[in-house]
Amino acid sequence: MTQTIVSGLEPPYYTAVFTSVRPDHPEGYGETLDRMKELVQDVPGFLGYESARTPGGVGITVAYFRDLEALNAWRDHAEHRAAKKHGREHWYERYCVHIGRVERSYGFERDDRDD
């Protein structure tokens, strides 16, 4: 699970929202996840990601990309494709991917400094 949120991105940009159901600690998953995190960093136009998982196995990962070319480069990356295939065969009970174009983005951060 990520401990920070992605902010300060100038729209438009694209998101890939990956929602999944899988067991909490499937064999080999952690190593593959670490490798995917490493690989996606090298995709030109990758902007960051956020993820969370419930103890019951529902997870959501949102990845941010500058444009569709960057998102498609990640989708088509050979090692990523192999990991997705392995995940369907061994880890995931089900998943869904939503691709969206972000037109507007804003946020909030509490300022707890003493004045």
Side-chain angles (χ1 to χ4, degrees):
M1 184 163 70
T2 54
Q3 297 298 317
T4 61
I5 59 173
V6 175
S7 63
L9 301 178
E10 183 66 33
Y13 55 89
Y14 287 82
T15 60
V17 180
F18 177 73
T19 306
S20 65
V21 177
R22 67 162 173 78
D24 281 335
H25 302 288
E27 184 177 328
Y29 184 84
E31 295 84 0
T32 301
L33 178 61
D34 290 344
R35 179 66 177 148
M36 294 303 105
K37 288 178 184 178
E38 178 184 314
L39 288 175
V40 75
Q41 298 290 326
D42 293 333
V43 173
F46 172 71
L47 302 173
Y49 76 96
E50 301 157 332
S51 66
R53 181 163 295 281
T54 69
V58 175
I60 299 174
T61 297
V62 182
Y64 301 91
F65 295 87
R66 175 55 46 209
D67 50 38
L68 282 176
E69 291 77 17
L71 196 150
N72 291 339
W74 177 237
R75 179 198 64 201
D76 296 338
H77 188 285
E79 204 169 333
H80 182 222
R81 290 176 65 90
K84 289 190 292 188
K85 182 178 186 298
H86 187 81
R88 286 190 301 272
E89 293 170 354
H90 300 282
W91 297 323
Y92 295 109
E93 294 176 29
R94 64 185 171 277
Y95 68 77
C96 187
V97 178
H98 305 275
I99 305 300
R101 178 181 159 111
V102 176
E103 298 289 338
R104 194 175 92 153
S105 178
Y106 60 92
F108 166 81
E109 185 171 340
R110 184 173 310 284
D111 184 358
D112 288 333
R113 294 179 293 170
D114 291 334
D115 292 335

